[in-house]
Amino acid sequence: MITDNHPFKINEAGHLEAGGVDLVNLAETYGTPLYVYDVSIIRDNCRQFIQTFKELGVQAQVAYASKAFSAIAMLQVVNQEGMSLDVVSKGELYTALQADVPVNKIHLHGNNKSLEELTMAIDHDIGCIVVDNFYEIDLIERILHDKHKTIHVLMRVTPGIESNTHQYIMTGNEDSKFGFNLSNGQADQAFLRLRRNSRIHVKGLHSHIGSQLFESDGPLLAAQLLFQKLDYWHTEYGFIPDVLNLGGGFGIRYTAEDEPLSYPAFVKELVSAVQQHAAAIEIPTPEIWIEPGRAIAGNAGLTLYTVGAMKTVPGVRHYISVDGGMTDNLRPALYQAAYEGVLANKASLPNVQTVSVAGKCCESGDILIWNLPLPAVEPNDILAVFSTGAYGYSMANHYNRFAKPAVVFAENGKSQEVVRRETYEDVVKNDRSYE
Ligand SMILES: *Cc1c(COP(=O)(O)O)cnc(C)c1O
């Protein structure tokens, strides 16, 4: 249902709209499945984070975690809004360079960065490499030595906190594939090794404890543990960090049950905790960096589908099948993610039934929404599924040889295709016949 505070509105024709553009018209023009973003929502999400830091008078970088949705047009928009950028692979770095994101605002992440990826990052003088493990230090030292270069790094550490749905558990053994263990001596060992190398400037620490967080208690607990370590390094080695990076994971609303903390409230809590900790150990407040991905792209995007076959299992369930599924939105199949939607062409009609929305892949698990209240549904209705802007297109795949959908940006009553729909020539373009 479209409530007053819903990010998308209903127009006079009773159709759903995005960026002032009628979504039923968009479906006709560009076909379905179709990802549509309201660009003003992307901008507003960026501004909520950046403005809050500005108002608090705190030095900060808000880096968009581009894995949520990486495409040239998207990176251009977040760059216009003053965001920095996180990339985790050569492909994401390449996309950032193609979008002309200033290299000093790019940060490279990853638990298995290859020699090639690190070389590319160092050759392009990107702003910061978030060092994850000892093998990576070996590779970096080799490249810097050969090229006579210097770099800035953050150290990714695992503070031993896991987000367990909406709660946090402290884990003694810190079983994570990411980062240096804060309590077993590995973080200290890595710190000393990085500091010994005059080509490497250690800017500070990084921690990212999980995604879809609704409260600040997890990151706040992480900050406390990071400052314990910083206190020790300050006392022992005179280390003063330039930066503390508290990661991403800011939750968004997928369904009516989700009640995330507002971004300004989240940022205020983080900032005041960091200021207090820094004062307590008598160091200047470091720059605070955060890395929202989902919170920037998620609620700005939706997916349009055309309804096709319908099937009723008497007394059990009404299925409606759509022309996409786990190929364009893997999250329901991957981790039982829940979504809501409406019929874009019947957006103002009352709901009269509950249906299950099935994708068209050959998997019983390809169900996009298990229980969705809708008006009377007919074939060729246009279903809009909300909050698909993050980890939707970026996880799209070619299962069953589906072609990837197009992406359209809508803003101020205008629309533009920013990723073209794949053709079947695209789908077979890497195939070679066997002679
Ligand atoms: C995935 C990830 C993010 C972004 O997570 P969201 O939940 O999309 O905000 C930020 N930082 C790191 C290191 C990540 O792995």
Side-chain angles (χ1 to χ4, degrees), residues 258-383:
D258 296 336
E259 286 181 23
L261 194 59
S262 80
Y263 308 153
F266 216 124
V267 167
K268 282 176 191 159
E269 292 189 20
L270 295 182
V271 167
S272 104
V274 170
Q275 286 171 331
Q276 283 170 31
H277 288 305
I281 67 166
E282 298 178 357
I283 61 168
T285 302
E287 259 187 51
I288 302 172
W289 293 8
I290 56 168
E291 309 171 320
R294 187 191 313 273
I296 300 300
N299 70 343
L302 53 76
T303 311
L304 299 177
Y305 301 98
T306 302
V307 176
M310 301 199 280
K311 167 182 172 172
T312 297
V313 183
V316 179
R317 190 178 293 286
H318 300 289
Y319 284 102
I320 66 167
S321 291
V322 295
D323 53 354
M326 62 191 285
T327 43
D328 59 76
N329 186 358
L330 192 57
R331 295 184 71 258
L334 192 61
Y335 24 68
Q336 285 83 51
Y339 286 89
E340 288 178 351
V342 301
L343 294 179
N345 58 325
K346 298 177 179 172
S348 53
L349 298 188
N351 295 329
V352 297
Q353 58 179 338
T354 297
V355 305
S356 295
V357 180
K360 84 187 235 116
C361 291
C362 283
E363 297 284 332
S364 299
D366 183 22
I367 304 290
L368 289 172
I369 303 177
W370 278 104
N371 291 301
L372 178 64
L374 285 182
V377 192
E378 296 158 288
N380 296 318
D381 280 341
I382 302 296
L383 178 74

Side-chain angles (χ1 to χ4, degrees), residues 63-68 86 88 109-110 130 156 178 206-213 245-252 254 290-296 390-391:
Y64 169 56
S66 68
K67 69 180 184 196
D86 280 2
V88 302
H109 275 282
V130 184
R156 178 161 187 172
F178 294 108
H206 170 280
S207 111
H208 169 80
I209 60 159
S211 266
Q212 189 60 356
L213 310 175
N245 188 327
L246 292 172
F250 307 92
I252 68 163
Y254 285 98
I290 56 168
E291 309 171 320
R294 187 191 313 273
I296 300 300
Y391 308 106

Side-chain angles (χ1 to χ4, degrees), residues 28-92:
E28 251 168 49
T29 307
Y30 297 102
T32 57
L34 186 70
Y35 300 101
V36 182
Y37 287 80
D38 182 332
V39 180
S40 68
I41 300 177
I42 301 172
R43 295 189 193 283
D44 184 58
N45 289 338
C46 297
R47 286 171 197 176
Q48 285 195 47
F49 286 103
I50 290 177
Q51 280 302 330
T52 308
F53 281 110
K54 277 217 179 104
E55 281 159 22
L56 296 171
V58 178
Q59 290 295 324
Q61 277 194 40
V62 184
Y64 169 56
S66 68
K67 69 180 184 196
F69 170 46
S70 175
I72 289 172
M74 178 66 183
L75 303 192
Q76 288 170 328
V77 169
V78 297
N79 184 32
Q80 279 168 7
E81 294 303 324
M83 304 278 284
S84 301
L85 199 73
D86 280 2
V87 298
V88 302
S89 69
K90 206 169 168 184
E92 287 182 5

Side-chain angles (χ1 to χ4, degrees), residues 411-429:
E411 188 173 25
N412 300 328
K414 294 200 186 98
S415 67
Q416 189 201 322
E417 191 179 54
V418 294
V419 180
R420 76 161 168 80
R421 184 176 299 281
E422 280 187 339
T423 63
Y424 291 101
E425 287 82 49
D426 292 326
V427 173
V428 299
K429 71 174 182 285

